Amino acid sequence: MKPRAFVPEKLDLAVFAREGASLEGEWPAAALERLADAAAPEAPAKGWPALRWSLLGEIRQPKGGKPQTWLQVRAQAQVSLTCQRCLKPVEEHLDIDRWIRFVDTEAEAAELDADSDDDVLAMPRHLDARELVEDELLLALPLVPRHEECPEPLAHADDEVPADEGGAERPNPFAALAALKRGGSA
C-alpha cells in the first residue's frame, strides 16, 4: 500500500496522528504575512532565510482513558526586527518545539487548557499547518527586541543639548513660566 500524501495547508490531523506520520519542509519567510509584518523596515522578510519546519503526529493511549491526538510542531526561523533601543535592525533566531494536544470541542479545549501545562486546541476538520507554525513563531517573538550591545552609541538624557544655529542657548521654558507666575514678564 502506497503511503498517504499529506498537504500541510489542509492536513487531516486525525489520520495524520493515527498513522504516526511526519512532514517537514521550508517556506519563504515572506509567505508568512503576519510574521513578515514584524520585520524591521530596513530588513524586510523577503531577505530572510527560509524557515524550516517539521510536524509529527502521534496517538497516545493513557491508562484508563480514551486515545489522545498529539502533534509535535518544530520550526526554526531567522528574523530581523527593530531594536527598541537604537531603532536599527536586530536579528533574532526563533526555535520552537511544542507538543499540542487536540480534543473534540472548543469547550473541552478551554477546560483542559486551563487545568494543564500542555497546549490544548480543538480538533479542526482540516488543519492549516502553515498558519499553526506562524502562530507559534509569533508567540516566540521577543516582547522587546534589542541588541546585546547596540552598533551605535545611544544618546543619553544628560548629554549636552546642541545650541541653536545662532550659538545662543535656548531659554528654559520653566524659567519663563516662573517669571509669569511671580507677575513679571518672561
Side-chain angles (χ1 to χ4, degrees):
M1 182 192 246
K2 197 159 116 179
R4 190 181 302 249
F6 293 101
V7 178
E9 291 82 8
K10 196 172 182 181
L11 189 62
D12 185 340
L13 190 55
V15 174
F16 186 77
R18 192 170 45 246
E19 292 187 7
S22 64
L23 282 173
E24 62 182 37
E26 290 186 349
W27 289 318
L32 303 175
E33 292 176 10
R34 292 177 296 146
L35 184 64
D37 284 346
E42 305 87 352
K46 67 181 178 211
W48 299 351
L51 65 94
R52 294 185 321 273
W53 59 271
S54 67
L55 306 171
L56 173 65
E58 181 177 292
I59 297 291
R60 296 182 187 171
Q61 181 65 54
K63 290 185 180 184
K66 68 178 191 173
Q68 299 174 349
T69 302
W70 288 83
L71 180 70
Q72 182 181 32
V73 179
R74 289 183 175 173
Q76 297 85 36
Q78 187 76 33
V79 299
S80 293
L81 307 172
T82 301
C83 173
Q84 296 302 298
R85 279 190 257 187
C86 68
L87 303 177
K88 302 286 185 208
V90 58
E91 286 191 5
E92 296 284 347
H93 181 75
L94 306 177
D95 193 2
I96 59 169
D97 185 355
R98 289 211 173 68
W99 280 96
I100 301 170
R101 180 178 171 195
F102 287 86
V103 296
D104 296 329
T105 65
E106 288 285 344
E108 186 181 0
E111 182 181 325
L112 288 172
D113 198 35
D115 297 338
S116 172
D117 289 338
D118 297 322
D119 292 325
V120 182
L121 296 174
M123 176 84 74
R125 180 165 167 78
H126 293 288
L127 176 73
D128 184 345
R130 184 183 300 224
E131 192 173 289
L132 180 64
V133 167
E134 184 176 25
D135 288 345
E136 294 298 327
L137 289 169
L138 288 168
L139 289 170
L141 288 175
L143 291 176
V144 182
R146 60 179 181 237
H147 294 99
E148 286 291 323
E149 204 170 297
C150 289
E152 296 177 18
L154 302 175
H156 295 286
D158 57 347
D159 286 351
E160 211 174 286
V161 177
D164 286 349
E165 290 176 32
E169 295 272 333
R170 288 180 30 197
N172 182 338
F174 296 107
L177 181 62
L180 285 173
K181 200 170 177 183
R182 285 191 301 266
S185 64

